[in-house]
Amino acid sequence: MLCNEFDPNPVAIINPSHQEPIPDFPAICVGIFSKTIVDELLEKYSGEVMGYSKFCTGWAPLYRVRAFDAEVCLFMPLVGAPAAAGFIEDLVPWGGRHFVFCGAAGTLRRDIAHGHLIVPTAAVRDEGLSYHYLPPADEIELQPRCVEACREALDSLHYPYIEGKTWTTDAFFRETEKKAQRRREQGCVSVEMECAGLAAVAQFRNVDFAQFFYVTDTLDGPEWDEGILPQGGAGLTDICFRAAVETGKRLAART
């Protein structure tokens, strides 16, 4: 099967090392899957464009932002594991070493309220990208020290959260009731589209990767509860960015 064609050779025909260097590139890189949140952060912290991650659909700006006694690269990843992971591939040659991603996720448990934070500890690999970076397996465990850094950051800020396994899938419109039940039986508490792929790329490239989600919808039942949480707002914006930066600082301190 094609999913068994993992090749450990780090050199491919197309390699990310072709990127032109960016002077003084921040080691801490924060990706937030929300245009509203990123726009609010740029307005508040006056980020400057220092480069672009280039895609055929357009160039995604990378912003240098200084906040909370740290300098970070802030960007808005594209949705889906292959597109989101392209940012890690681009940023590692420039000097990115500690990646923290934050974004929306659905919950597979109706007792988890919308807006609550989730820290994934492992991800079910129901996507395709991770199989090109790691040998085949049903799941990928996030690096324990990266999970610990995220946990410490949230605890220090007194932001409540839960931990658990997440379900990473390519197929937003094929999250069936039967599949959701199977994932619950595997221990998953959330569903999203990037975590397994991002974790695999980070492990392959030997860089840090941590992630946390904010719950926006519920898939615990025959019908989808779309939720009402906005994709921004001062409270959520501050929570996401502060927690991401504090996680990145702890990862940097461990090197």
Side-chain angles (χ1 to χ4, degrees):
M1 296 177 63
L2 290 178
C3 66
N4 291 322
E5 286 191 347
F6 169 68
D7 184 349
N9 186 352
V11 180
I13 297 173
I14 304 173
N15 298 283
S17 58
H18 71 278
Q19 302 285 4
E20 292 293 328
I22 296 177
D24 301 318
F25 195 89
I28 299 173
C29 301
V30 174
I32 299 181
F33 290 92
S34 168
K35 184 177 187 302
T36 300
I37 291 178
V38 171
D39 286 348
E40 289 176 351
L41 291 172
L42 294 175
E43 181 177 355
K44 184 173 183 178
Y45 296 104
S46 303
E48 59 179 296
V49 176
M50 59 178 171
Y52 295 88
S53 190
K54 300 177 182 178
F55 295 84
C56 61
T57 51
W59 292 11
L62 310 171
Y63 301 96
R64 189 189 306 274
V65 175
R66 296 173 178 85
F68 311 120
D69 299 318
E71 182 176 87
V72 305
C73 170
L74 172 67
F75 58 94
M76 185 184 71
L78 302 180
V79 172
F87 287 85
I88 296 180
E89 288 283 37
D90 277 351
L91 272 55
V92 168
W94 284 326
R97 291 296 178 269
H98 316 293
F99 292 85
V100 186
F101 284 72
C102 171
T107 177
L108 299 177
R109 284 176 26 191
R110 66 185 67 194
D111 62 307
I112 302 176
H114 296 165
H116 203 72
L117 300 182
I118 295 177
V119 176
T121 56
V124 171
R125 296 168 64 183
D126 191 16
E127 40 69 59
L129 180 77
S130 66
Y131 295 91
H132 297 278
Y133 287 85
L134 293 176
D138 291 339
E139 302 177 6
I140 179 172
E141 181 182 3
L142 273 68
Q143 298 164 323
R145 64 188 183 85
C146 295
V147 175
E148 179 63 21
C150 191
R151 183 187 298 123
E152 289 177 359
L154 293 172
D155 286 341
S156 71
L157 296 167
H158 307 291
Y159 296 159
Y161 64 94
I162 66 167
E163 298 180 20
K165 193 182 299 181
T166 189
W167 168 25
T168 303
T169 176
D170 290 331
F172 181 83
F173 291 105
R174 295 302 302 151
E175 297 168 0
T176 65
E177 187 176 1
K178 182 178 180 180
K179 290 181 181 178
Q181 179 58 35
R182 188 180 306 140
R183 298 298 172 253
R184 276 190 290 272
E185 293 169 356
Q186 290 177 275
C188 294
V189 298
S190 59
V191 56
E192 38 65 48
M193 301 181 69
E194 297 87 17
C195 186
L198 293 171
V201 173
Q203 290 185 27
F204 187 78
R205 298 300 182 190
N206 196 30
V207 294
D208 291 334
F209 164 72
Q211 187 166 20
F212 61 94
F213 316 122
Y214 50 88
V215 174
T216 55
D217 55 305
T218 303
L219 289 87
D220 184 3
E223 296 184 357
W224 180 36
D225 180 353
E226 298 183 50
I228 58 174
L229 185 72
Q231 292 293 300
L236 182 59
T237 295
D238 292 341
I239 287 172
C240 288
F241 190 54
R242 184 69 187 271
V245 173
E246 292 299 331
T247 300
K249 287 167 62 177
R250 283 166 170 76
L251 290 173
R254 285 168 162 80
T255 57

